[in-house]
Amino acid sequence: MRVESRDDVVTRLHRIFLSAGIGSAKQVEAVRALGRAGGPEAARLIGQIYQEAFSGSAIQMACIAALGEAARTYPPALPGPD
């Protein structure tokens, strides 16, 4: 698989997540890496992983942090009308 864009990296990280053992350190690191990769596809996948994870699990906690990281790649919101 050639890696030519952020979405290629995100896809590869998601595959790593899916191939890792449930709740493993490898899964947690893949989620963290998704957050660092950022972008809308990463945010979508992180949200999906969060919804499917056990409540209060290490994966859910990693998803929360990863979403915050992913949001850093978005431009700041423009101020709304007052």
Side-chain angles (χ1 to χ4, degrees):
M1 174 182 188
R2 291 181 64 181
V3 179
E4 297 180 356
S5 69
R6 179 192 321 242
D7 283 347
D8 292 341
V9 172
V10 167
T11 298
R12 183 166 267 180
L13 288 168
H14 188 239
R15 287 182 183 162
I16 291 168
F17 172 84
L18 293 173
S19 69
I22 295 173
S24 66
K26 189 175 184 179
Q27 273 195 330
V28 171
E29 287 304 315
V31 168
R32 289 180 179 153
L34 278 169
R36 288 190 299 272
E41 181 62 10
R44 185 188 70 76
L45 290 170
I46 294 165
Q48 178 183 330
I49 292 166
Y50 178 87
Q51 292 298 321
E52 295 173 1
F54 293 111
S55 180
S57 65
I59 295 295
Q60 272 200 339
M61 299 303 113
C63 285
I64 293 167
L67 276 173
E69 278 292 314
R72 295 177 71 180
T73 66
Y74 286 80
L78 297 175
D82 289 342

